[in-house]
Amino acid sequence: MSAVQPVRGTHDLIGEEQRRHAHVVDTARTVTGLYGFEEWSTPIFEETAVFARSLGDTSDVVSKEMYTFPDRGGESLTLRPEGTAAICRALVTNGLTQSLPQKVFYTGPMFRYERPQKGRYRQFHQIGAELIGPAEPVADAEAIAMGRDVLGALGIADDVTLELNTLGDPESRAAWRKALIDYFSNFRDRLSQDSQDRLDRNPLRILDSKAPEDRALLPDAPMLVDYLNDHSKRFWDGLRAALGAFGVPFVENPRIVRGLDYYSHTAFEFVTTRLGAQGTVLAGGRYEGLVAEMGGPQTPAIGWAGGVERLAMLLENAPEKEAPIVVIPVGDAAEAPAIGVLTRLRYAGLRSEMAYRGNLKKRMERANRVGASHVVILGESEVAKGVVQMRDLSSGEQSEISVDRLIETLGEAPLRATVREYLGAILPPGLSAGKGA
RNA sequence: GCGGACGUAGCUCAGUCGGUAGAGCGCCGGUUUGUGGUACCGGUUGUCGCGGGUUCGAUCCCCGUCGUUCGCCCCA
């Protein structure tokens, strides 16, 4: 059609989809709160330098995949492609490097100029967490455990595997990287065309290549484990021990790598097989040097981010729309009293709507269609007697009752999820909300 | 950026070996001027993604384009 369309790779979130997204975000906010994390909101655009610095100038990510534009003053701005760089910038700009650790939860839209695929859009949404300050592996384990609990609270932990790796510290990684280049250079002509390019540009990426000819060379490739120095080994051992203490199962996957130099030690991905090639659902790692890039002191940090679209797709059941109560006046004379009843219901905290149109049958049909739990009917005779007809739409039972009794009765009905019920429902088995904490 | 598949009613899809289209669901109305969710009856819905070409004639064939989707590249 010639009508206007949404921009490629963007989507409207309406109805069930919006409820799924909101549920993912609300759940992550609640669970990270249990770990003492606090939400930050940063602008969705920044000076281009914020992201360009974090990525290095040569990366073609910078040139090809960011939404970058000059503003009217000629300054180069970029729609944020991820959250971590902006959080580090905010840490520095707000002088919070003086009060570490900072435990940050964030959520919101991100923008990448890429070819859309399932669960991968140009405007997409992330939830993320950064634990800034600690240099101990326990912090990494805690951040990972928190990610696991978010997935658990969403009911998808069983569909997801935690894959874990260490990248070592810069010294270890440099030694390993050199060994890798030496090794693959010997077999240059047996590598795929893509990997021959990667050998010059980003040799670690050969390790997660999907091309069979590359995979054939991997078993004999140098392993980072053999190049870890003592510090890196202790960190790696400490991480795995701490994950055990947190009760987080994992599989080691030496093929998980990160392209950028400021990553060190921990790298992890929660992966599902249910989303085709876009199976990583929540991923992160330890980074050192990014805060310094933003002009702050050298500050270690561990963080992760998860794709809301992908998580929303994995939810078994879409959250139900909350059932309203529908008030139906019969006859014009009943309309004003009906508004009075409607208002009292709302002030009592009950989601309520009024059906204005059509004959009683039509209004009942409409009440049914919006998923009402109860209908409140009042016509002339009810108004005269000061009562209403309360009908339970699931049972079909109907009774004549005073407005005071109506509010009492519906107020007791489990129409609203209380905070306690919500917490009880989202926590993984074995943990209980509120008690003994 | 590269390659494959797809684009027909609000939704899911059928169809025409080239003669301007149909089903189910939904929606609206009725059977029931004060009672829904099940039944029955009736009705409504389309520039067949967009632009161009071939043809007497294109939704169908060809080219382009936009969009969707699967994979590659990339994945901060």
Side-chain angles (χ1 to χ4, degrees):
Chain A
M1 295 178 208
S2 56
V4 289
Q5 296 177 333
V7 171
R8 173 172 225 189
T10 67
H11 289 268
D12 302 308
L13 295 174
I14 294 174
E16 179 184 321
E17 252 196 303
Q18 170 60 29
R19 271 179 272 129
R20 285 173 173 267
H21 275 241
H23 182 246
V24 169
V25 172
D26 291 346
T27 302
R29 186 179 283 126
T30 303
V31 172
T32 55
L34 294 175
Y35 280 78
F37 281 58
E38 217 180 343
E39 184 165 357
W40 289 13
S41 293
T42 65
I44 61 167
F45 56 79
E46 299 269 356
E47 290 179 22
T48 299
V50 169
F51 305 111
R53 272 189 208 179
S54 71
L55 292 166
D57 303 321
T58 55
S59 163
D60 62 292
V61 166
V62 174
S63 50
K64 277 164 53 181
E65 296 182 10
M66 296 203 309
Y67 276 94
T68 296
F69 55 93
D71 74 0
R72 296 188 185 198
E75 186 171 27
S76 179
L77 304 180
T78 295
L79 298 182
R80 63 180 182 196
E82 54 107 22
T84 305
I87 295 293
C88 290
R89 192 232 82 219
L91 180 88
V92 173
T93 7
N94 291 278
L96 295 171
T97 53
Q98 299 298 311
S99 23
L100 299 176
Q102 289 289 332
K103 304 179 176 184
V104 182
F105 168 74
Y106 65 86
T107 182
M110 308 288 167
F111 305 83
R112 294 182 189 176
Y113 192 89
E114 298 181 294
R115 191 76 179 256
Q117 284 178 45
K118 185 201 285 283
R120 180 175 181 170
Y121 306 108
R122 289 185 170 178
Q123 176 175 340
F124 60 105
H125 299 80
Q126 284 189 331
I127 50 172
E130 311 292 344
L131 176 43
I132 307 171
E136 295 78 13
V138 201
D140 302 50
E142 186 171 30
I144 293 171
M146 184 168 77
R148 188 274 314 265
D149 283 346
V150 169
L151 300 175
L154 290 170
I156 58 183
D158 292 344
D159 301 315
V160 161
T161 306
L162 169 59
E163 301 189 356
L164 185 69
N165 193 23
T166 182
L167 304 172
D169 64 5
E171 178 188 282
S172 306
R173 194 166 56 258
W176 174 52
R177 183 189 160 103
K178 183 174 180 309
L180 274 178
I181 294 173
D182 290 346
Y183 172 78
F184 285 121
S185 296
N186 290 334
F187 300 105
R188 186 175 198 106
D189 49 341
R190 284 167 57 183
L191 286 169
S192 67
Q193 185 56 54
D194 284 334
S195 284
Q196 292 185 27
D197 296 340
R198 285 191 270 243
L199 183 53
D200 303 319
R201 214 177 56 243
N202 199 351
L204 269 52
R205 284 283 172 204
I206 299 174
L207 296 174
D208 60 3
S209 168
K210 288 162 188 162
E213 59 268 44
D214 298 335
R215 304 288 286 259
L217 293 170
L218 296 186
D220 296 324
M223 305 283 285
L224 173 62
V225 201
D226 301 322
Y227 295 83
L228 289 180
N229 56 23
D230 286 346
H231 167 65
S232 298
K233 262 185 208 145
R234 273 200 307 279
F235 196 100
W236 180 223
D237 291 341
L239 170 64
R240 288 177 295 179
L243 279 173
F246 277 103
V248 179
F250 59 90
V251 298
E252 294 182 28
N253 179 356
R255 299 199 294 115
I256 293 180
V257 295
R258 294 284 121 95
L260 303 170
D261 283 342
Y262 57 75
Y263 284 103
S264 57
H265 301 293
T266 313
F268 65 93
E269 298 184 357
F270 287 91
V271 178
T272 177
T273 53
R274 285 174 50 200
L275 293 177
Q278 307 303 321
T280 300
V281 125
L282 189 151
R286 172 163 287 274
Y287 52 95
E288 291 166 352
L290 190 48
V291 173
E293 287 286 346
M294 300 300 156
Q298 187 71 26
T299 309
I302 169 88
W304 51 252
V308 176
E309 280 76 6
R310 295 184 193 177
L311 291 168
M313 279 191 281
L314 290 173
L315 295 179
E316 285 297 333
N317 301 306
E320 293 289 320
K321 190 157 47 169
E322 199 177 324
I325 295 156
V326 172
V327 177
I328 301 181
V330 179
D332 291 346
E335 196 157 286
I339 290 171
V341 172
L342 183 67
T343 302
R344 289 193 57 186
L345 287 168
R346 287 174 177 164
Y347 288 1
L350 297 162
R351 170 190 282 243
S352 319
E353 305 176 39
M354 183 160 72
Y356 323 99
R357 271 192 83 175
N359 59 28
L360 181 52
K361 176 183 162 63
K362 289 301 159 204
R363 299 186 193 203
M364 287 294 289
E365 280 175 0
R366 179 177 145 66
N368 199 59
R369 201 163 348 118
V370 299
S373 62
H374 295 77
V375 157
V376 174
I377 303 163
L378 63 166
E380 269 181 61
S381 58
E382 284 82 6
V383 170
K385 285 198 283 182
V387 297
V388 298
Q389 301 291 334
M390 179 186 78
R391 185 178 180 87
D392 181 328
L393 284 188
S394 54
S395 68
E397 283 172 34
Q398 183 167 324
S399 54
E400 185 172 288
I401 118 179
S402 73
V403 176
D404 287 339
R405 281 283 298 147
L406 172 76
I407 306 266
E408 271 173 50
T409 309
L410 293 179
E412 284 166 12
L415 291 175
R416 286 182 298 162
T418 66
V419 171
R420 173 169 301 192
E421 284 165 346
Y422 175 67
L423 281 175
I426 64 163
L427 287 173
L431 300 177
S432 65
K435 281 189 290 188

